[in-house]
Amino acid sequence: MRLFLAIPLNKKLIDELYRLQHAIKSNLTFADKLLLVHPEKIHITLKFIEDLPANKIDEMVEALKSIDVTKFSIDPDKINYFTNPQGRPRVVFLSFKKSKELTALHELIEAKLAPLGVKKDNFKCQATLFRVKFLKDKFRLIEILKHVKVEPVALEIQSIELFESKLSADDVPVHSLVEKFELK
């Protein structure tokens, strides 16, 4: 099973991400093709878990239920992007400022899942805004992203959610909530 742990976003941050998506898109040409993530589906991926056997799901849920962490807040940082091998932006995201609490939560999750054979990863705190399908001019998007201002909307992390991720017939990810874990 393909799974991921996510941090849900609050309404104010979702509204800010919607504003950012449209501010960026409105400055591109009609020929540019972006696949926007629906604002209600945007989340911060805390951990991606590829190919976990279905018989280990209950163990994983129990391990995650034992996490004892207090609620905390993180702040957005800036708009950034990942590129393809040719240097063209392929994923545009909002990054968040480093947080000791978030790093500690990620390390605790890694420790809880290691006995289940889940591999460690390099955590990057981000929320994907859109995937780039075609750009007439990659430098135009890069220049636009340099000038996008992100409003300082804090996110209080109150819970983490475990989702199963499946690809539909047309390669669109479909996410199903498996379990929600409330922080204290």
Side-chain angles (χ1 to χ4, degrees), residues 1-179:
M1 295 178 76
R2 291 168 38 102
L3 303 158
F4 66 91
L5 282 166
I7 297 170
L9 306 182
N10 60 31
K11 172 91 170 86
K12 283 181 96 170
L13 190 53
I14 289 169
D15 290 346
E16 173 62 6
L17 296 179
Y18 179 81
R19 184 193 70 77
L20 292 170
Q21 285 177 321
H22 289 278
I24 294 164
K25 189 173 181 180
S26 69
N27 284 291
L28 294 172
T29 69
F30 184 70
D32 297 320
K33 302 293 182 217
L34 307 177
L35 180 60
L36 277 78
V37 178
H38 190 280
E40 300 295 327
K41 293 186 177 188
I42 298 176
H43 59 270
I44 297 170
T45 301
L46 193 53
K47 174 87 179 143
F48 185 73
I49 304 146
E50 196 167 3
D51 297 328
L52 185 79
N55 64 351
K56 290 197 175 191
I57 294 289
D58 290 340
E59 283 180 73
M60 175 181 285
V61 168
E62 289 308 310
L64 294 170
K65 281 181 179 177
S66 72
I67 290 175
D68 186 16
V69 174
T70 305
K71 296 174 188 173
F72 61 93
S73 293
I74 60 173
D75 296 307
D77 189 15
K78 62 185 176 182
I79 300 294
N80 211 332
Y81 57 92
F82 295 124
T83 61
N84 66 10
Q86 294 76 36
R88 180 181 63 82
R90 63 179 177 82
V91 175
V92 175
F93 59 89
L94 173 65
S95 62
F96 289 79
K97 294 178 182 173
K98 289 198 179 233
S99 157
K100 291 182 290 188
E101 296 90 352
L102 187 58
T103 300
L105 174 60
H106 183 260
E107 289 172 357
L108 186 56
I109 288 168
E110 293 281 20
K112 295 285 185 181
L113 299 182
L116 300 173
V118 175
K119 295 178 184 171
K120 290 187 175 190
D121 62 12
N122 292 325
F123 174 59
K124 292 180 176 69
C125 188
Q126 67 205 35
T128 300
L129 300 176
F130 55 84
R131 288 171 175 70
V132 178
K133 294 301 179 186
F134 173 80
L135 287 175
K136 188 173 181 180
D137 179 1
K138 73 176 180 182
F139 299 109
R140 179 164 171 73
L141 176 59
I142 292 169
E143 195 59 33
I144 290 166
L145 296 178
K146 286 181 187 175
H147 298 287
V148 173
K149 299 291 183 229
V150 178
E151 294 297 321
V153 180
L155 173 63
E156 183 182 26
I157 299 175
Q158 301 177 3
S159 64
I160 57 175
E161 298 172 339
L162 178 63
F163 285 91
E164 180 178 7
S165 180
K166 293 180 180 178
L167 287 179
S168 68
D170 53 349
D171 283 340
V172 175
V174 178
H175 303 144
S176 304
L177 182 65
V178 175
E179 188 82 30

